[in-house]
Amino acid sequence: MHRRELLRFLAGSPFFMGLPQIPGEKAITSPEEAFSVFDFERVARDVLPPAHWGYLATGVDGDRTLHRNREGFDKFGIRARRLVDVREVDTSVEMFGTRWETPIVLAPVGSQKAFHPEGEVAVARAAKNRGHLQILSTMTTSSVEDVNAAHDKPVWYQLYPTASWDVTEGLLKRAERAGCPAVVLTVDLPVISYRETAQRLARMDSRDCSVCHETGPIYFRLGRKPMFDNVDVTGLTDLDAPSLTWSFIERLKEHTTMKVLIKGIVGREDAALAVEHGADGLIVSNHGGRAEESGVSTIEILPEVIDAVRGRIPVIIDSGFRRGTDIFKALALGATAVAVGRPYIWGLASFGQEGVEMVLTTLRRELELAMRLAGATSVRALDGSFVRPKT
Ligand SMILES: Cc1cc2nc3c(=O)[nH]c(=O)nc-3n(C[C@H](O)[C@H](O)[C@H](O)COP(=O)(O)O)c2cc1C
């Protein structure tokens, strides 16, 4: 009864961000049936326990930024060119000397075994088969070694530094030894944000969560996160790093051979500072509407960041990307690549590796179609003349 009520509530609520369902239309039962990534969102919502769905779907406070991320794409239209031979389109991009078949990157998402028993390893197999870069969270539930063994190109490692440099160094060295070529420092959560929707849905979950979620000291809780195996976390009292400032970037650069990217940049001033402090790249991101409740979408922020960076380092963007046309707009506005978070997790929760593959295939197919219909034959050819800002 509880579950039925919950599902009815979710179907009509803003927690379910997909397209309105056609009355009587059934959820898909295999990845091939999907028309868009939203078909996977529906299945994921149905199969996941309420608390895990809540962890995935939540924004912060009243979820305004979460919604704004989608609405922001309406601020830009596409300006198409005609009479261009579009039989072949080249979606490949290059970052740090590696060429990727597609500009679509898998953003770091923690605890993927909460969505499917094969978690990050299933995602790595899918990313490998479809030629995508994967970024692995510090909060991964599979080891970086296992994930890299499943992918033919080592993942980039996302770093939550914690308040202890010794812990940071332990994580960095482990990622380096595993062959990761880049570290992505996430800077948008100096303290944990207020995830109200997640808490509401967790309260509706009647399962005994203590079976999987330990309580108590940090070192006890981190026991299930393989990145912390063999890292001494006994002195750690907090996972947050509220004292972090720009000098940390220089320190990171001194202590690692990996490229250093900063994730969570949302304005021109910090984009310029990132370059000044030696960052090798940055990710424009509001954590998928899970950091501060700014009420501003990342696609609206992108032009000022591109302006400040002036082509000196690659700029990746994420938060709210669900359609090929969304990706098209970001690339035309100057992004080097686009990362997605929730969509591939919807695929994972729905159908494991096959679901992730189909989500990636769908996004790439939509991007190629958007390029053909707009007369753009390569990502390189995409520039500001392909977008029309709306007032
Ligand atoms: C369930 C979930 C877990 C996440 N975990 C992390 C994480 O561990 N590290 C991180 O840097 N970002 C994390 N993110 C943010 C993503 O990397 C990315 O910025 C965001 O999902 C992009 O927005 P989208 O989900 O709308 O595509 C997480 C996002 C979600 C939805």
Side-chain angles (χ1 to χ4, degrees):
M1 181 60 191
H2 237 112
R3 188 167 173 83
R4 248 201 337 269
E5 270 170 25
L6 177 64
L7 292 179
R8 222 183 359 252
F9 161 72
L10 287 174
S13 88
F15 305 155
F16 180 52
M17 301 269 293
L19 299 178
Q21 298 297 309
I22 295 172
E25 189 188 18
K26 297 217 167 43
I28 58 169
T29 54
S30 72
E32 296 72 34
E33 289 171 45
F35 291 115
S36 75
V37 300
F38 294 112
D39 288 299
F40 296 94
E41 181 182 26
R42 181 176 178 189
V43 180
R45 186 203 64 198
D46 290 350
V47 300
L48 288 174
H52 291 195
W53 169 254
Y55 169 58
L56 181 60
T58 194
V60 290
D61 298 357
D63 292 344
R64 278 308 309 144
T65 312
L66 178 79
H67 289 278
R68 188 68 198 175
N69 277 337
R70 293 293 307 133
E71 291 157 9
F73 293 107
D74 295 335
K75 294 267 171 191
F76 301 92
I78 290 177
R79 291 181 77 237
R81 300 297 307 275
R82 306 299 185 208
L83 298 171
V84 178
D85 179 350
V86 290
R87 281 172 298 176
E88 298 292 327
V89 290
D90 176 9
T91 60
S92 70
V93 293
E94 200 193 296
M95 285 182 286
F96 309 126
T98 301
R99 185 150 284 282
W100 299 93
E101 281 173 46
T102 139
I104 303 164
V105 175
L106 288 84
V109 170
S111 304
Q112 294 180 14
K113 284 188 185 167
F115 306 113
H116 188 275
E118 289 186 313
E120 295 84 358
V121 169
V123 170
R125 283 193 224 114
K128 172 190 169 189
N129 288 349
R130 294 289 177 255
H132 294 255
L133 165 64
Q134 178 182 0
I135 308 178
L136 187 71
S137 168
T138 288
M139 294 302 166
T140 177
T141 38
S142 311
S143 76
V144 64
E145 295 80 11
D146 287 350
V147 174
N148 277 350
H151 202 306
D152 58 347
K153 295 198 179 92
V155 295
W156 291 5
Y157 176 66
Q158 178 268 328
L159 177 69
Y160 281 133
T162 78
S164 152
W165 174 256
D166 289 344
V167 172
T168 301
E169 206 168 20
L171 296 171
L172 278 181
K173 294 298 159 206
R174 172 123 181 235
E176 261 173 29
R177 274 196 306 275
C180 300
V183 58
V184 174
L185 174 73
T186 300
V187 295
D188 53 16
L189 288 179
V191 294
I192 192 64
S193 52
Y194 185 57
R195 313 242 167 116
E196 184 175 321
T197 295
Q199 294 188 63
R200 288 184 189 281
L201 285 162
R203 195 154 60 190
M204 298 181 83
D205 203 319
S206 53
R207 296 164 315 139
D208 177 8
C209 299
S210 69
V211 173
C212 299
H213 294 272
E214 277 102 353
T215 49
I218 296 262
Y219 61 86
F220 210 63
R221 284 186 265 149
L222 289 177
R224 285 180 172 270
K225 303 290 186 209
M227 279 314 294
F228 294 88
D229 297 348
N230 304 322
V231 174
D232 182 9
V233 288
T234 40
L236 201 62
T237 50
D238 207 339
L239 271 183
D240 302 336
S243 64
L244 226 60
T245 59
W246 285 100
S247 61
F248 189 78
I249 309 301
E250 276 108 359
R251 193 168 187 191
L252 261 188
K253 296 272 299 175
E254 276 165 25
H255 283 82
T256 183
T257 52
M258 295 183 278
K259 297 284 181 197
V260 173
L261 291 95
I262 306 180
K263 176 171 182 276
I265 296 296
V266 285
R268 72 168 73 243
E269 297 85 353
D270 284 349
L273 281 169
V275 178
E276 225 173 84
H277 286 270
D280 297 295
L282 59 82
I283 305 187
V284 177
S285 172
N286 58 28
H287 220 106
R290 296 158 83 90
E292 77 282 1
E293 184 78 309
S294 65
V296 185
S297 70
T298 55
I299 192 76
E300 290 170 281
I301 291 165
L302 182 62
E304 69 177 61
V305 169
I306 294 294
D307 201 39
V309 167
R310 287 186 278 116
R312 290 172 288 175
I313 54 174
V315 175
I316 302 172
I317 181 170
D318 74 24
S319 298
F321 287 79
R322 306 287 181 264
R323 291 284 189 188
T325 48
D326 304 337
I327 300 167
F328 178 101
K329 289 174 189 176
L331 296 171
L333 289 170
T336 313
V338 170
V340 291
R342 294 181 186 85
Y344 79 84
I345 300 294
W346 298 334
L348 178 69
S350 309
F351 305 105
Q353 177 187 339
E354 278 180 64
V356 180
E357 287 194 30
M358 191 51 80
V359 163
L360 297 174
T361 302
T362 303
L363 289 173
R364 181 167 172 180
R365 190 189 62 224
E366 287 187 12
L367 172 62
E368 287 178 1
L369 183 61
M371 288 171 69
R372 287 198 166 92
L373 289 172
T377 53
S378 69
V379 172
R380 224 177 17 264
L382 280 176
D383 62 18
S385 70
F386 283 95
V387 274
R388 185 191 298 278
K390 297 187 201 166
T391 47

